[in-house]
Amino acid sequence: MNREKSITINGKRFSLEAGETVLEVAQRNGIDIPTLCYIEGSMPTGACRICMVEVKGARNLLPACATPATHNMVVETESERVIQSRKMNIELLLASGNHNCLTCEANGDCVLQELAYRYQVEIVRFPESPVRYATETSNPLIIRDFSRCILCGRCVQACNEVQVNNAISYGYRGTASKIVANGDLPYHESDCVFCGECIRVCPVGALIEKPSRFQGRPWEVRTVKTTCPYCGVGCQIDLHIRDNKVVKVTGTEGVPPNFGSLCVKGRFGYDFINEPERLTVPLIKEDGQFREASWDEALSLVAERLGEIRSKSGPDSIGVFSSAKITNEENYLAQKFARAVIGTNNVDHCARL
Ligand code: SF4
Ligand code: SF4
Ligand code: SF4
């Protein structure tokens, strides 16, 4: 006798693993139940009610993310009742603030927008709620647009459970609800460390990288995967590039060691790339003053001086310092130059762990 426990979703039977929710069984089997507040690996909150499904024998629709899958359960994920519920929910969310997508930074990369399209929500029958809280633009890195916040709580879970920074929480009650930092301080006056994890998980345009605003729509940028140069952890990052300029950095999803998370340096520390004050030609110091020089002249001078020092005092009298602000390949060459050409292991880097 087959004792395997199973569940029926949309007319198909699937095996159950102990402790799984309806959403987890569905996801494992390629059935797309939409979510807004769910974060894989975090405690489900059931806050957004988008993943509601119809369970045979249950009076009400149930949130798939928070409903344990049980043996012989029969579930419909796209029944007429479910679709009507989702449509109503989407309408209410669209009416809950300013969801005119035209200049929203999330346009083209917004779960609420995708859901409105998927469920063909063409008309919002409810009046738009007045904007209660002004957009916070007072720090240089993160914009908080409360008019677009749908209070899904993903940012709170990401900050508290994923990054364990505990910088933000729900504040106030009812229609006055707001995501607050340290009792409602601006981010830069709170415990926020600007890791940007909250931006990463926000499903709409309520949290925005300030330096990236108006720098390009998702379809206007190409991404290049690379390794963050700032420390020895080796986080994988995606450079978002438009017109040959880095306009945003995000963590590469689904790969170690960072699985999409970053720290403030990895996420925001790229402004130096296009900084007009960067040196573009070599400088040689003469009589206390720098003058511009050709690469040939500068390299010849450095080779001559290093050769003299090495002959006179030995290779270990020389040290080579490299930088997180050059490429990984250049850093490799710098250590190779120190070890193989000069003959010293005196190599260091500003981000050494
Ligand atoms: S958050 Fe999404 S739905 Fe709202 S305005 Fe921005 S793109 Fe549109
Ligand atoms: S930037 Fe990081 S620390 Fe600050 S609120 Fe967002 S997740 Fe929390
Ligand atoms: S800021 Fe974004 S992630 Fe946080 S509650 Fe609002 S919509 Fe959700």
Side-chain angles (χ1 to χ4, degrees):
M1 181 179 157
N2 184 4
R3 292 181 179 276
E4 191 179 62
K5 293 189 173 153
S6 67
I7 176 174
T8 301
I9 305 179
N10 299 344
K12 288 190 183 154
R13 280 185 91 76
F14 302 104
S15 63
L16 287 185
E17 287 172 19
E20 276 188 313
T21 62
V22 172
L23 180 67
E24 285 165 340
V25 180
Q27 288 183 334
R28 189 162 52 74
N29 291 287
I31 297 169
D32 180 17
I33 300 177
T35 62
L36 274 167
C37 68
Y38 173 75
I39 297 184
E40 190 183 349
S42 292
M43 181 70 76
T45 61
C48 76
R49 318 310 272 179
I50 281 291
C51 71
M52 303 301 272
V53 291
E54 194 163 356
V55 177
K56 194 173 175 188
R59 197 166 149 208
N60 299 321
L61 298 180
L62 298 174
C65 70
T67 302
T70 55
H71 186 45
N72 284 337
M73 195 180 233
V74 178
V75 179
E76 288 293 330
T77 69
E78 294 284 336
S79 66
E80 190 52 35
R81 198 172 157 213
V82 166
I83 289 172
Q84 288 312 319
S85 158
R86 286 194 191 136
K87 280 185 156 183
M88 173 69 79
N89 203 344
I90 293 163
E91 267 193 80
L92 288 166
L93 290 173
L94 288 171
S96 71
N98 164 24
H99 290 289
N100 175 347
C101 307
L102 291 181
T103 53
C104 180
E105 202 59 35
N107 192 354
D109 186 21
C110 170
V111 183
L112 181 57
Q113 192 186 57
E114 282 166 24
L115 288 173
Y117 188 82
R118 172 170 168 177
Y119 290 101
Q120 300 171 25
V121 179
E122 294 180 278
I123 297 167
V124 176
R125 290 166 293 170
F126 310 107
E128 194 177 287
S129 305
V131 175
R132 189 182 278 264
Y133 301 110
T135 301
E136 181 182 306
T137 58
S138 50
N139 71 75
L141 300 181
I142 298 177
I143 293 175
R144 301 169 76 199
D145 184 346
F146 300 101
S147 76
R148 294 195 162 108
C149 174
I150 56 171
L151 293 168
C152 67
R154 289 189 106 211
C155 54
V156 176
Q157 280 199 299
C159 184
N160 298 348
E161 292 181 34
V162 180
Q163 293 284 0
V164 202
N165 286 329
N166 297 312
I168 50 177
S169 58
Y170 277 101
Y172 311 108
R173 288 290 179 271
T175 54
S177 294
K178 179 188 184 190
I179 304 301
V180 295
N182 290 86
D184 208 4
L185 292 173
Y187 262 15
H188 65 285
E189 293 175 24
S190 74
D191 290 340
C192 172
V193 296
F194 290 94
C195 64
E197 186 76 10
C198 51
I199 306 175
R200 174 187 165 214
V201 300
C202 182
V204 293
L207 295 168
I208 302 157
E209 296 95 341
K210 194 172 183 181
S212 311
R213 200 177 187 200
F214 300 128
Q215 296 301 305
R217 294 296 197 189
W219 57 87
E220 293 175 319
V221 299
R222 65 187 169 95
T223 54
V224 173
K225 189 177 166 203
T226 186
T227 302
C228 177
Y230 275 113
C231 79
V233 172
C235 288
Q236 296 302 290
I237 58 175
D238 291 322
L239 305 178
H240 297 237
I241 297 168
R242 187 188 185 199
D243 297 336
N244 234 11
K245 185 180 166 192
V246 177
V247 294
K248 183 155 86 172
V249 172
T250 52
T252 309
E253 297 291 340
V255 295
N258 51 314
F259 295 95
S261 297
L262 289 174
C263 75
V264 62
K265 289 190 293 181
R267 193 178 298 279
F268 292 109
Y270 60 89
D271 51 336
F272 70 90
I273 299 170
N274 301 304
E275 177 56 53
E277 289 189 3
R278 282 188 76 174
L279 296 181
T280 53
V281 291
L283 301 177
I284 291 177
K285 201 172 198 179
E286 282 176 351
D287 303 325
Q289 297 290 324
F290 283 112
R291 68 163 173 85
E292 291 188 359
S294 69
W295 279 102
D296 281 348
E297 184 188 9
L299 289 172
S300 298
L301 178 65
V302 170
E304 184 186 321
R305 290 287 297 125
L306 285 178
E308 283 171 12
I309 295 165
R310 187 170 178 270
S311 303
K312 192 173 158 199
S313 311
D316 282 338
S317 61
I318 298 170
V320 173
F321 290 91
S322 61
S323 165
K325 292 191 170 74
I326 60 177
T327 65
N328 296 321
E329 291 78 5
E330 288 163 335
N331 274 310
Y332 173 82
L333 288 175
Q335 65 81 32
K336 196 77 178 168
F337 172 72
R339 294 193 168 99
V341 179
I342 295 179
T344 179
N345 287 323
N346 291 337
V347 190
D348 212 342
H349 184 282
C350 60
R352 171 171 53 90
L353 279 184

